[in-house]
Amino acid sequence: MRVAHMTTTAARALPDEYTLDHLDHLESEAIHIFREVAGEFERPVILFSGGKDSVVMVHLALKAFAPAALPFTLLHVDTGHNFPEVLDYRDATVDRLGVRLVVAHVQDYIDDGRLRERPDGTRNPLQTVPLLDAIEAGKFDAVFGGGRRDEEKARAKERVFSLRDSFGAWDPRRQRPELWDLYNGKHAPGEHVRVFPLSNWTELDVWRYIEREEIALPDLYYAHEREVFGRDGMWLAPGEWGGPKTGEEVQTRTVRYRTVGDMSCTGAVDSDATDVAGVIIELAASRLTERGATRADDRMSEAAMEDRKKQGYF
Amino acid sequence: MTTTHAITTPAITTPAITTHDSEAPVTVADELLAPPRRHELLRLATAGSVDDGKSTLVGRLLYDTKSVLADQLDAVERVSRERGLDAADLALLTDGLRAEREQGITIDVAYRYFSTATRSYVLADTPGHVQYTRNMVTGASTAELALILIDARHGVVEQTRRHLAVTGLLGVRHVAVAVNKMDLVDWSQQRFDDIVAEFARHATRFGIEDVVAVPVSALFGDNVVDRSDRAAWYTGPTLLEHLEAVPVGTDPSAQPLRMPVQFVIRPQSAQHPDYRGYAGRLASGVVRPGDEVVVLPGGGRTTIAGIDRARADGSVESLDVAFAPQSVVLRLTDDIDVSRGDLIAAADEPSLTTRDLSGTVAVLSERPLRQRDRVLLRVGTRTVRALVDDIVDQLDIATMEQRTAPDGLALNAIGRVRIRLADDIAVDDYRALRRTGAFLLIDEADGSTLAAGMADAPDRNAGEGI
Ligand SMILES: Nc1nc2c(ncn2[C@@H]2O[C@H](COP(=O)(O)OP(=O)(O)O)[C@@H](O)[C@H]2O)c(=O)[nH]1
């Protein structure tokens, strides 16, 4: 008996007119998620940094509720070491949309001693406390984050609706199974739910979508000349945050950023990509994942991300 | 075979993926640069018993489609070295949480992504332990295809039957069987044929429409992405070639319209003072302006006045047609009361409206489901209070035997229940309409998800219709 193929003819292709592109699938899924949250929660907030994933989130959220206005507040945790052009972009976006933006400043916490600067100057891990305080102060019950499951191993198991206790902590054992598109947003007072509408997107999907929808991003996502110095195989931008150290030589290079976070640990990559199409070409050829290439803090240990998530990080 | 862990990891080259309908090999890099106009999405779920080689196979799929990038591979190689292996263990690519790493097992559904010239894949990687039926149910709920692994040395085992049963129960239409470790049975055609024949017998029993079996060696990469020259007798597709070709999606024109209302859009702005639209994602079917619809469970009838969707610039366009699974806004001709929790359905083929529901549930929580339990039931966008009226039976999914369940249904158990509802719901036969036949049971006290349910056909729900 040869049964390599047991295909029955029951399986036939979809008519062309009813076939969706995978970006349309992802968009429809994300819009569905935004609407579920609007329907089930009292005070949702979108984490908005001006980074590409958060920009795409806001774009999708606008599409989900048009022609009505965005029913969500935006929240940004400013490490104090953000790229100025990203902050400008953030503020311009907020003005254009006429939405409310809440900013939590890590600097305030350092100034009054609630947080202490780390020896390595990295402020990414310091964002957790201001974030949780802002969530509590704003009584936010749903917090949209731009996390994607393809970013990192620990994120591969993240839910779309991720339950956090009142300390913002993520307990893998308490996460609810997620079936079909029935998201369970039930939570106790003091708890909140992190929601990840881009869960099923890859970095390439995000860029393709940016291209398709002609979404404007901060300029530093595209190749530009910048003074940088090398550290741990990345190009870092000098700044008040504490670089370069002696021995680290500053040079001018043509670079772009793949993520825009805290300047102390967000590295640039050499690039000639001056537009989205160029970025997509580079990405296709790229051999480094986004986090590995540009986020020093994730390299600290195999389980770095998992540890920070348990403490309530994004 | 002394080095079962030693995976050959050739220098990263661009693998040539040959698609079915074209002789020309398409490289992954080419694909990334020039995607076809419609790049489809296929969601699949894996299932296999422990040590069948599932992690290795998934690692192999990712690796050979170039979805593993240099730094991930570095990390895997480093850990492999630390563990004294000669070459990278691709299985390490796919296990995430620390507890799992320490115990060396996979305990939760993880999602993986890879793409080729034709398709993007979302792979729900579900652990294969007996006690984790819950995970397989979760992974299968969104899958169109189940990828079931069989160890060629062991053939179809009890676990395989469980996987098939869950696949059938959850209404996954396509099954791909990877008969793995063919290298350990000398690529015996007889062995493969025997396994496939037995598998086919079970698949038919569980009502699965489409099965394709591929002999593979995940460890060495034979017939996973690249064709093997070790089994000249096998002329079918490689595993990936099959994934590239299997039809995806359900023809929406063959199903009646269903759209759970998620949110009412009322801008109340100067520009749109009287706009009122119902936002939702089509669960099934096709909709056009002028179509007659019924709003359930209320039963109000009206017609579709318009279908709106936002453009990239935020302005709104009106569509001539929309179909599942698009997210749209529907405007209705009549001013009837519609809110979140309602279902807009085709007037000539509506869902069943009922307060008594029978169906099959899979228990997902440590808390068992017992008769007389008070819970919340979620179907579509509607949540109602519910009482577990009766636990009809428990299904032994290995044997498909039904037995009574006097102590209720424990974690990972599957059984039939009858549920009484405090309010009407609109629901469909899960076998016919997956999205609107699926439900959750939720713990009223702590909000946890207790069970996943699949509603029976209306004739089993006899007598409670409108
Ligand atoms: N000889 C051989 N060994 C394999 C093959 N696939 C996996 N293995 C080995 O089988 C063992 C279990 O594999 P793993 O992927 O961890 O299994 P899982 O528990 O199903 O995820 C490991 O030692 C693998 O190296 C194969 O095709 N041939």
Side-chain angles (χ1 to χ4, degrees):
Chain A
M1 188 178 141
R2 288 282 309 279
V3 209
H5 248 104
M6 298 191 289
T7 318
T8 64
T9 44
R12 67 193 168 88
L14 269 190
D16 229 29
E17 63 200 294
Y18 298 131
T19 306
L20 283 184
D21 184 86
H22 89 280
L23 284 182
D24 291 320
H25 267 283
L26 294 174
E27 180 187 63
S28 174
E29 177 181 78
I31 286 175
H32 175 255
I33 292 164
F34 279 110
R35 290 168 170 175
E36 280 304 283
V37 171
E40 293 272 311
F41 292 82
E42 302 287 325
R43 294 175 66 83
V45 68
I46 301 180
L47 292 176
F48 183 69
S49 61
K52 70 175 195 308
D53 298 321
S54 72
V55 172
V56 166
M57 270 204 295
V58 169
H59 180 88
L60 287 161
L62 287 166
K63 289 185 87 168
F65 300 101
L70 190 69
F72 307 131
T73 304
L74 306 186
L75 169 62
H76 182 218
V77 181
D78 184 345
T79 62
H81 292 158
N82 284 101
F83 292 93
E85 49 271 65
V86 178
L87 295 182
D88 291 346
Y89 175 95
R90 177 197 75 186
D91 294 339
T93 306
V94 167
D95 283 347
R96 183 168 53 86
L97 302 179
V99 289
R100 191 165 81 96
L101 171 74
V102 176
V103 182
H105 295 276
V106 171
Q107 191 64 50
D108 293 349
Y109 285 73
I110 291 175
D111 290 347
D112 67 15
R114 279 177 290 170
L115 286 176
R116 231 171 315 142
E117 199 86 76
R118 294 161 50 99
D120 61 5
T122 294
R123 285 186 174 181
N124 258 9
L126 303 186
Q127 293 178 76
T128 305
V129 173
L131 172 67
L132 293 178
D133 284 354
I135 290 171
E136 198 179 311
K139 298 192 168 60
F140 298 120
D141 52 0
V143 181
F144 291 103
R148 291 180 278 109
R149 287 176 182 144
D150 81 321
E151 277 179 80
E152 211 274 338
K153 267 195 200 172
R155 280 209 164 136
K157 304 188 175 194
E158 183 58 283
R159 306 299 195 268
V160 174
F161 276 37
S162 174
L163 187 66
R164 304 300 166 102
D165 65 17
S166 47
F167 299 99
W170 176 77
D171 176 355
R173 307 248 168 206
R174 256 192 89 203
Q175 299 306 314
R176 296 167 181 161
E178 243 163 20
L179 297 102
W180 301 289
D181 52 7
L182 298 175
Y183 303 106
N184 177 357
K186 295 267 181 293
H187 59 281
E191 292 184 335
H192 70 274
V193 176
R194 298 280 170 90
V195 182
F196 301 104
L198 306 183
S199 285
N200 288 324
W201 298 49
T202 64
E203 185 184 16
L204 195 60
D205 294 330
V206 170
W207 279 108
R208 288 236 181 92
Y209 190 71
I210 288 167
E211 181 178 46
R212 182 181 100 169
E213 302 282 294
E214 298 177 6
I215 300 172
L217 293 182
D219 293 338
L220 44 64
Y221 276 110
Y222 304 109
H224 58 287
E225 289 210 333
R226 180 178 289 263
E227 291 202 322
V228 291
F229 63 93
R231 181 184 291 174
D232 296 337
M234 299 189 297
W235 297 119
L236 296 180
E240 284 171 29
W241 58 268
K245 290 188 278 212
T246 39
E248 292 174 329
E249 190 190 320
V250 175
Q251 47 181 297
T252 303
R253 303 187 70 92
T254 306
V255 296
R256 70 178 168 85
Y257 286 87
R258 292 176 67 178
T259 64
V260 294
D262 188 66
M263 286 175 81
S264 62
C265 62
T266 304
V269 292
D270 287 320
S271 169
D272 298 319
T274 51
D275 57 12
V276 191
V279 171
I280 291 175
I281 290 172
E282 283 194 4
L283 212 57
S286 157
R287 296 284 155 80
L288 285 183
T289 53
E290 184 172 309
R291 287 191 167 264
T294 57
R295 289 278 178 93
D297 54 332
D298 284 335
R299 294 186 171 182
M300 293 187 295
S301 87
E302 252 278 272
M305 175 63 97
E306 196 183 328
D307 288 341
R308 265 181 299 135
K309 266 173 69 162
K310 284 186 177 152
Q311 292 155 16
Y313 188 70
F314 305 109
Chain B
M1 189 80 236
T2 48
T3 53
T4 42
H5 261 98
I7 284 194
T8 44
T9 49
I12 298 180
T13 50
T14 306
I17 297 172
T18 312
T19 56
H20 264 323
D21 40 20
S22 141
E23 286 296 285
V26 180
T27 66
V28 173
D30 290 343
E31 169 269 316
L32 292 170
L33 302 186
R37 196 172 56 86
R38 284 210 196 86
H39 189 80
E40 292 171 327
L41 184 76
L42 175 62
R43 290 176 197 260
L44 63 154
T46 61
S49 316
V50 185
D51 283 343
D52 280 354
K54 189 163 58 60
S55 311
T56 309
L57 181 75
V58 173
R60 175 58 71 184
L61 271 173
L62 300 180
Y63 182 80
D64 283 356
T65 56
K66 268 207 12 161
S67 311
V68 182
L69 298 161
D71 61 331
Q72 294 171 326
L73 200 60
D74 281 352
V76 164
E77 277 168 352
R78 184 164 37 77
V79 174
S80 301
R81 265 196 310 278
E82 283 165 16
R83 294 190 185 168
L85 308 173
D86 324 336
D89 180 356
L90 290 186
L92 288 172
L93 284 169
T94 62
D95 62 349
L97 299 182
R98 179 180 292 177
E100 296 177 342
R101 276 201 298 281
E102 281 162 6
Q103 295 165 35
I105 53 159
T106 322
I107 53 173
D108 201 356
V109 183
Y111 293 86
R112 322 278 175 205
Y113 302 86
F114 59 99
S115 70
T116 64
T118 332
R119 289 181 175 170
S120 285
Y121 297 90
V122 178
L123 183 150
D125 194 2
T126 73
H129 300 64
V130 183
Q131 63 269 41
Y132 294 116
T133 298
R134 157 181 123 145
N135 292 319
M136 173 139 195
V137 169
T138 303
S141 73
T142 49
E144 292 187 64
L145 178 141
L147 170 55
I148 299 182
L149 261 87
I150 294 178
D151 185 323
R153 295 169 304 174
H154 307 143
V156 174
V157 295
E158 183 181 317
Q159 270 298 82
T160 316
R161 293 199 296 273
R162 284 177 200 275
H163 296 320
L164 263 174
V166 172
T167 302
L169 193 66
L170 271 287
V172 181
R173 288 160 58 227
H174 306 285
V175 170
V177 192
V179 180
N180 190 32
K181 307 198 186 181
M182 285 300 292
D183 54 295
L184 298 181
V185 296
D186 295 327
W187 288 92
S188 156
Q189 179 178 3
Q190 189 59 50
R191 183 80 194 122
F192 176 74
D193 288 348
D194 290 349
I195 290 171
V196 171
E198 188 181 354
F199 189 91
R201 263 202 316 281
H202 292 289
T204 316
R205 216 166 105 227
F206 294 116
I208 291 160
E209 294 173 23
D210 169 49
V211 180
V212 169
V214 185
V216 304
S217 168
L219 187 61
F220 297 104
D222 295 291
N223 286 342
V224 178
V225 170
D226 300 318
R227 183 157 293 280
S228 170
D229 49 18
R230 296 196 174 93
W233 51 265
Y234 177 73
T235 53
T238 67
L239 184 60
L240 184 68
E241 283 168 355
H242 175 55
L243 299 181
E244 298 279 75
V246 67
V248 298
T250 308
D251 182 354
S253 64
Q255 297 189 323
L257 169 70
R258 301 285 186 261
M259 193 193 87
V261 174
Q262 294 186 270
F263 196 75
V264 182
I265 307 253
R266 288 181 63 200
Q268 293 175 299
S269 60
Q271 206 191 340
H272 302 280
D274 302 317
Y275 187 97
R276 189 181 184 96
Y278 304 101
R281 188 181 195 194
L282 269 68
S284 61
V286 177
V287 64
R288 292 186 176 80
D291 283 357
E292 258 194 71
V293 295
V294 56
V295 180
L296 299 172
R301 280 174 173 257
T302 181
T303 54
I304 300 291
I307 305 167
D308 295 339
R309 185 175 65 177
R311 294 194 189 88
D313 65 5
S315 65
V316 170
E317 63 181 328
S318 289
L319 306 175
D320 296 333
V321 61
F323 53 92
Q326 287 180 317
S327 285
V328 294
V329 178
L330 299 182
R331 282 178 287 111
L332 303 178
T333 311
D334 300 287
D335 190 12
I336 56 177
D337 187 29
V338 184
S339 55
R340 177 175 171 83
D342 287 338
L343 178 75
I344 297 178
D348 57 357
E349 215 180 321
S351 310
L352 174 80
T353 302
T354 184
R355 284 193 189 198
D356 277 283
L357 181 69
S358 72
T360 302
V361 296
V363 176
L364 308 171
S365 119
E366 300 286 347
R367 181 189 141 175
L369 193 68
R370 296 194 179 91
Q371 201 174 357
R372 309 294 304 162
D373 273 354
R374 283 170 197 282
V375 295
L376 297 173
L377 180 135
R378 166 83 187 262
V379 56
T381 52
R382 190 173 189 82
T383 305
V384 299
R385 279 177 209 288
L387 176 76
V388 179
D389 225 9
D390 188 21
I391 308 255
V392 181
D393 57 29
Q394 175 167 355
L395 190 67
D396 181 330
I397 59 169
T399 61
M400 287 307 271
E401 272 161 23
Q402 288 152 4
R403 49 187 156 88
T404 56
D407 301 327
L409 299 170
L411 174 61
N412 292 310
I414 292 175
R416 289 192 301 152
V417 296
R418 292 195 62 84
I419 297 167
R420 191 139 44 93
L421 306 169
D423 210 342
D424 285 335
I425 58 161
V427 67
D428 287 294
D429 172 9
Y430 181 83
R431 308 228 46 105
L433 296 174
R434 228 169 155 188
R435 294 281 174 207
T436 41
F439 61 90
L440 298 180
L441 298 182
I442 295 170
D443 188 322
E444 225 177 327
D446 70 2
S448 62
T449 302
L450 297 172
M454 290 139 284
D456 284 344
D459 57 348
R460 289 238 217 129
N461 276 310
E464 288 90 18
I466 2 177

